[in-house]
Amino acid sequence: MGKLLLLNYSPALLEQSHMKVCYGAQPRLLGPKLNPNAIDEEERKKAEATLIDAIDEAEYLGARGIAFLAGKWEETTKEDAYAQLLKTTRALCDYAAGKGMAVELEVFDYDMDKAALIGPAPYVLSMEVTPRPGEDEDAIVANTKRVIRRAWALLED
């Protein structure tokens, strides 16, 4: 059974199974070492194009959005990398919004294995959290508080 056959049946199979589909685009970035906050514009665009494809694939599979992670960074170019990540994220959000889909930037480690630009750092703690229509506001607030407490704990260590 090849990938093509699996893709032809996946949406129907998932729908019949009453499964919620979530799409993590991290492998699409990590495998080929793509970086959505690359300082080099051509490298950043490669990551963006891959993530746009991920949105299309996620839509096909019935997911309501994608999750991805920021790329590696260096202290000397941190602000430039952050600007590049914003450029990529805005493009993804604009594209996904046209499909009624969401884009989530996941928090990873910023100083260890993945060394992602967005990790338990001040950038994360300054982001606004707004519940989407239909989401339980109390659950969102509770989860947000949990994440912030964890991030502060990591910063204090």
Side-chain angles (χ1 to χ4, degrees):
M1 178 183 284
K3 182 178 179 183
L4 181 60
L5 183 60
L6 176 62
L7 285 178
N8 284 335
Y9 290 103
S10 293
L13 178 65
L14 292 168
E15 185 178 333
Q16 290 171 6
S17 300
H18 303 286
M19 295 177 71
K20 181 177 181 177
V21 180
C22 300
Y23 192 101
Q26 297 86 342
R28 294 184 76 134
L29 296 173
L30 295 172
K33 297 186 174 152
L34 297 175
N35 185 342
N37 48 271
I39 302 304
D40 179 89
E41 184 65 9
E42 291 306 311
E43 291 301 311
R44 186 200 68 76
K45 285 181 177 180
K46 286 179 189 175
E48 182 180 301
T50 294
L51 291 167
I52 293 287
D53 288 345
I55 292 169
D56 290 337
E57 186 173 42
E59 178 187 38
Y60 173 78
L61 293 171
R64 294 175 42 193
I66 68 162
F68 75 105
L69 75 155
K72 292 190 181 289
W73 60 284
E74 296 177 20
E75 188 63 43
T76 57
T77 57
K78 184 176 183 178
E79 293 301 319
D80 292 333
Y82 184 63
Q84 290 293 80
L85 181 61
L86 284 176
K87 196 184 307 183
T88 301
T89 305
R90 285 184 179 127
L92 297 176
C93 289
D94 289 346
Y95 185 75
K99 296 174 172 285
M101 297 174 70
V103 173
E104 297 178 12
L105 178 57
E106 287 195 342
V107 176
F108 272 72
D109 61 90
Y110 67 95
D111 60 353
M112 294 183 289
D113 182 40
K114 301 293 182 266
L117 177 62
I118 301 298
Y123 282 134
V124 175
L125 298 177
S126 68
M127 291 186 174
E128 181 179 336
V129 176
T130 305
R132 291 186 219 126
E135 288 186 319
D136 182 285
E137 191 171 314
D138 291 334
I140 300 298
V141 170
N143 283 333
T144 302
K145 287 180 179 178
R146 180 184 54 80
V147 169
I148 289 172
R149 280 194 299 272
R150 171 116 169 85
W152 280 119
L154 290 170
L155 287 171
E156 289 172 353
D157 284 346

